[in-house]
Amino acid sequence: MTTTFPITFLGTLKSGFGLGLIIAPSWSMNMLYYRNLAPGPSNLAVRMIGTRELLFGALLLGAKTPETRRAAVLASAAVDVLDFAVTVLGWEMGQVEGTTAGVFTCAAGASVLLAVLAWKKAGLGALKSIKM
């Protein structure tokens, strides 16, 4: 039995997180243990990330056909893998504190795992069958 609930759940989480980053960037970053030393200038970057998350959430929620669901889940997972990688890189370079890096990598990892679950539960097929 296939279900789109994990895709809907992932889309809702991303949309909610994105809205939080857009509406209250400093508060949202504090909730993620990110010590923002200059909130004024960096709020633009935080809001841009929020916009990205909101759009990926909308893409996931709006995907109605198997083809659009495949594309939405793959794009979302790819961005989260890159988020994971740059967070680890930032931590290695000393630009991100340990607690923040842990929260960010866990969130990105959980999002990728949820995308894998969504792919499987929605019956989106094997990766090799995707036409680009």
Side-chain angles (χ1 to χ4, degrees):
M1 180 173 86
T2 62
T3 179
T4 59
F5 175 75
I7 295 174
T8 304
F9 184 64
L10 182 59
T12 303
L13 283 177
K14 284 187 168 287
S15 295
F17 183 60
L19 279 174
L21 291 175
I22 292 168
I23 295 168
S26 295
W27 181 80
S28 299
M29 289 286 87
N30 286 335
M31 294 300 293
L32 296 172
Y33 298 99
Y34 184 75
R35 213 165 35 108
N36 196 350
L37 299 177
S42 63
N43 279 348
L44 174 63
V46 173
R47 285 188 170 111
M48 290 171 69
I49 294 167
T51 302
R52 181 192 76 173
E53 291 299 316
L54 178 62
L55 290 176
F56 273 113
L59 181 64
L60 287 161
L61 292 171
K64 300 299 180 202
T65 66
E67 292 81 20
T68 57
R69 286 185 187 124
R70 282 186 197 108
V73 171
L74 274 178
S76 176
V79 166
D80 289 329
V81 166
L82 291 173
D83 285 346
F84 185 93
V86 299
T87 301
V88 170
L89 179 65
W91 177 72
E92 279 290 322
M93 295 173 66
Q95 297 171 345
V96 181
E97 294 177 349
T99 303
T100 303
V103 170
F104 279 36
T105 55
C106 285
S111 187
V112 170
L113 290 175
L114 190 54
V116 169
L117 176 68
W119 186 279
K120 183 177 179 180
K121 291 295 182 183
L124 298 179
L127 278 176
K128 64 182 177 181
S129 68
I130 296 171
K131 297 176 185 169
M132 298 285 179

